[in-house]
Amino acid sequence: MAWVLDPTLARDTLAVASLSLSELLLMNDARYPWCILVPRRADVTEWHHLDSKDQQALNREISAVSPVLAAQPEVQKLNVGALGNRVRQLHVHIVGRHAGDPAWPDPVWGF
């Protein structure tokens, strides 16, 4: 089966780049610096479904994107998470947060 980006992610994000493993997306929400990494692997819903090589690649991509978001004005904390409750396709959120942002100190998910 071929990899296809989940329709919800396609609707809620803007494509930024294709990395070695993942599509790098920007969440269409100006309140937060918010990127999403989506590994291009069909039918993968959990981290442990990736083989060790892909797990390492995803970790490198998270490590590469995180300092870019952390360097944005007002970012005091990064939230990194792979929830998958609404969108089952494996994807990792990297969200820049600061005291006083609209959801602070609660999670941005569902806000």
Side-chain angles (χ1 to χ4, degrees):
M1 174 180 265
W3 179 85
V4 177
L5 182 62
D6 179 273
T8 300
L9 291 174
R11 181 190 70 228
D12 294 345
T13 64
L14 304 168
V16 174
S18 292
L19 306 180
S20 65
L21 172 68
S22 304
E23 290 301 308
L24 174 59
L25 308 174
L26 178 65
M27 186 66 149
N28 191 10
D29 187 337
R31 298 173 297 174
Y32 314 95
W34 185 344
C35 289
I36 299 174
L37 292 168
V38 186
R40 289 182 304 277
R41 297 294 182 259
D43 296 327
V44 172
T45 60
E46 303 293 343
W47 178 274
H48 67 270
H49 293 160
L50 295 172
D51 64 28
S52 62
K53 180 180 171 187
D54 284 349
Q55 288 177 0
Q56 291 171 11
L58 183 54
N59 190 49
R60 283 190 304 273
E61 291 173 351
I62 293 166
S63 295
V65 171
S66 292
V68 175
L69 288 182
Q72 298 306 302
E74 298 185 4
V75 171
Q76 299 168 336
K77 177 72 176 106
L78 287 181
N79 292 167
V80 178
L83 301 176
N85 296 345
R86 293 182 189 243
V87 174
R88 293 197 39 83
Q89 182 175 49
L90 179 61
H91 61 289
V92 178
H93 298 265
I94 307 169
V95 187
R97 302 295 309 277
H98 65 88
D101 75 34
W104 188 268
D106 297 318
V108 296
W109 297 279
F111 179 77

